[in-house]
Amino acid sequence: QAAGRAAGGASAVSVVLLALNAGSSSLKFAGFDRAAQAIVRGQVDRHAGRISARDATGNTVLDCAIDAASSL
């Protein structure tokens, strides 16, 4: 099996560092690889009631509504 590939041919990327920035109404996060390159960035926004994340190329990998009252 080639390095960086999981079973079935999907890319396997491991987050080495997870950075968090918590504010009064949001939680921003970024996951970095061993080369210190951001592989995912996103945020949980209590006022908007959403959680979203994008990969290193800017593609949306997560975007959904949340119940802000019980989530943060």
Side-chain angles (χ1 to χ4, degrees):
Q1 176 164 282
R5 293 279 177 192
S11 293
V13 177
S14 61
V15 174
V16 174
L17 175 70
L18 178 64
L20 301 172
N21 179 357
S24 61
S25 64
S26 68
L27 173 69
K28 296 179 181 175
F29 57 89
F32 297 86
D33 65 13
R34 293 187 186 278
Q37 299 296 313
I39 55 175
V40 65
R41 293 180 186 270
Q43 71 176 17
V44 179
D45 188 326
R46 183 172 62 164
H47 289 302
R50 297 205 71 74
I51 181 170
S52 60
R54 296 184 181 270
D55 65 16
T57 61
N59 293 316
T60 300
V61 294
L62 176 67
D63 187 17
C64 61
I66 57 170
D67 179 5
S70 64
S71 299
L72 292 177

